[in-house]
Amino acid sequence: MRKELKEFLASEDMILYLPRNYKTDIISQWMSCRNILHPPLNWFIIQFSKIIPKSSWTSAYYRLLLGMKIGKGVGFAQIYPDHLMPEGIEIGDYSAFGWKVSIFTHEFTQHRQRYGKVKIGKNVLVGAFSIIRSGVSIGNNSIIAPYSCVIGDVPANEIWGGNPAFKIRNISPLHKSIGLKRNTTNTNGSSLKANRENKKPKVVNLFKYTE
C-alpha cells in the first residue's frame, strides 16, 4: 500500500481510503504504508522543533526535514504535526498556530485506514490546543477558536469554534487586510518613515478589531 500512498501525495486528492489488514491490530495499520523507522524519526524531529526559538527557523526546519509546505511569515508556538504523514500538510503565508495545536493527516477505524491532506490558507489563526482532522481545508483569513476540533472544511473569512467546530460568525473586512498588506501610513495619512526621520513617531494601532 506504500505505492498507493505515494501516488496520493502526488495527486490533487484530499482523502485516501485503504482497507484494513485484519491480521494485525488497528493501531499497527500504518506499517503497511510506511517504513517502520519513518514515524519514530519524525517524532524525534518534531520534539526537537519545540526548542527552536524563531518561527522562521521552525518553518525551514519543517520544510526540510518533514516535507511540509509552508509559506512565508508563518508563526508557530509548540505544535504537533502528524508524525506519520507530515508532508500532507500545507500552510499559507502569515498564518499562526497557538500552543499545542495538533494537525492530523491519518486515522484508523475498525474497518479502514484514512489518510488526508490538510490545507490551511493565508492569514489563518488557529487557537491553542485545537485539533485539525485529516482531509480538512481552512480558507484564507479564518480564525479557529482555542480548544476547537475541526472535522470539516472551514470557508474563508469566518470564525469557527467548539467541539466539533461550528461557524460562529463572519470576519470583518478590517481583519482580513491585516497581515496580508504592510501598512506604511499613519491614520492621519502621513508617512511612518517621515515620522521616524523627524524623530516624532506616532503609535499606530493596527489591531483595532474585536475578533
Side-chain angles (χ1 to χ4, degrees):
M1 297 182 187
R2 295 181 185 180
K3 180 181 178 182
E4 289 88 341
L5 187 59
K6 184 177 180 180
E7 291 175 348
F8 166 67
L9 287 169
S11 73
E12 296 297 323
D13 297 335
M14 286 292 290
I15 298 176
L16 171 68
Y17 291 105
L18 294 174
R20 177 192 170 182
N21 179 6
Y22 288 94
K23 295 181 179 180
T24 186
D25 63 272
I26 295 174
I27 304 302
S28 300
Q29 298 298 306
W30 64 269
M31 293 184 183
S32 64
C33 296
R34 291 264 130 164
N35 184 289
I36 194 171
L37 297 177
H38 189 92
L41 180 59
N42 285 344
W43 183 87
F44 280 109
I45 291 171
I46 292 167
Q47 297 308 306
F48 181 80
S49 71
K50 296 176 184 178
I51 65 173
I52 298 176
K54 194 173 182 180
S55 289
S56 61
W57 299 352
T58 304
S59 295
Y61 182 81
Y62 284 156
R63 289 190 205 102
L64 179 64
L65 298 181
L66 296 181
M68 294 169 59
K69 303 174 184 67
I70 302 174
K72 62 184 178 181
V74 176
F76 292 106
Q78 290 188 11
I79 71 165
Y80 293 90
D82 193 295
H83 61 272
L84 186 60
M85 196 178 74
E87 61 268 43
I89 299 171
E90 181 177 338
I91 301 170
D93 300 343
Y94 303 113
S95 291
F97 297 83
W99 187 259
K100 293 190 177 180
V101 169
S102 297
I103 306 174
F104 291 103
T105 57
H106 80 280
E107 57 190 74
F108 304 136
T109 66
Q110 295 93 327
H111 304 295
R112 64 185 180 183
Q113 306 176 56
R114 183 183 191 271
Y115 296 90
K117 300 171 185 174
V118 173
K119 294 188 177 181
I120 298 170
K122 297 180 180 179
N123 197 37
V124 172
L125 175 62
V126 182
F129 297 98
S130 292
I131 297 172
I132 301 175
R133 187 191 184 195
S134 61
V136 163
S137 64
I138 301 176
N140 295 344
N141 308 307
S142 288
I143 295 175
I144 307 301
Y147 291 92
S148 298
C149 182
V150 182
I151 63 172
D153 292 346
V154 176
N157 309 314
E158 293 183 0
I159 300 176
W160 282 52
N163 185 5
F166 60 92
K167 179 181 176 180
I168 298 174
R169 65 184 176 87
N170 293 327
I171 291 177
S172 67
L174 174 61
H175 174 263
K176 290 185 285 187
S177 67
I178 294 174
L180 297 181
K181 184 177 180 180
R182 184 179 179 184
N183 187 37
T184 59
T185 60
N186 283 307
T187 53
N188 62 3
S190 62
S191 168
L192 290 175
K193 183 177 180 181
N195 282 336
R196 287 195 297 268
E197 291 174 350
N198 294 332
K199 298 182 179 180
K200 294 180 180 180
K202 294 184 179 180
V203 177
V204 180
N205 184 4
L206 295 178
F207 301 96
K208 192 177 181 181
Y209 64 96
T210 58
E211 280 81 13

